[in-house]
């Protein structure tokens, strides 16, 4: 995905405990939203439910780690090693 309306630091978003989402004002009058679970899953796109605009959320994925999700997929790296012996 490439055409973001904006890039916003997670610290600039507001946590809504009742809805369990971070939100940020959208120019259409609604709000961009992203959940903690989305952040734990290394998703960084907040969407507006009323229009087609999206923002990229800037955050530290390590801070999104919890006891229920100790290793977010974006922090795991698959390494493939091939060993050949010459003899």
């Amino acid at each position: 995905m490439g055409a973001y309306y904006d890039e916003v630091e997670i610290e600039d978003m507001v946590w809504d405990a009742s809805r369990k989402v971070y939100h940020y004002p959208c120019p259409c009058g609604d709000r961009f939203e992203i959940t903690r679970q989305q952040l734990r899953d290394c998703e960084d796109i907040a969407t507006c439910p009323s229009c087609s605009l999206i923002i990229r959320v800037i955050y530290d994925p390590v801070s999104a780690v919890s006891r229920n999700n100790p290793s977010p997929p974006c922090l795991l790296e698959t390494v493939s090693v091939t060993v050949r012996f010459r003899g």
Side-chain angles (χ1 to χ4, degrees), residues 9-85:
E9 299 274 341
I10 190 73
E11 293 83 11
D12 294 331
M13 298 182 81
V14 176
W15 173 248
D16 183 335
S18 63
R19 297 188 59 223
K20 300 192 185 315
V21 297
Y22 285 98
H23 62 84
Y24 187 80
C26 180
C28 78
D30 205 344
R31 304 181 301 186
F32 296 102
E33 299 179 342
I34 192 165
T35 66
R36 283 186 176 160
Q37 185 59 50
Q38 287 174 295
L39 295 172
R40 284 186 202 108
D41 292 341
C42 301
E43 295 177 28
D44 63 352
I45 305 300
T47 58
C48 175
S50 298
C51 73
S52 62
L53 293 178
I54 59 173
I55 58 172
R56 181 168 179 252
V57 179
I58 309 299
Y59 72 105
D60 178 8
V62 175
S63 299
V65 174
S66 72
R67 292 180 189 167
N68 298 333
N69 188 12
S71 299
C74 63
L75 297 180
L76 298 178
E77 212 175 290
T78 303
V79 177
S80 176
V81 177
T82 303
V83 178
R84 292 189 179 139
F85 293 97

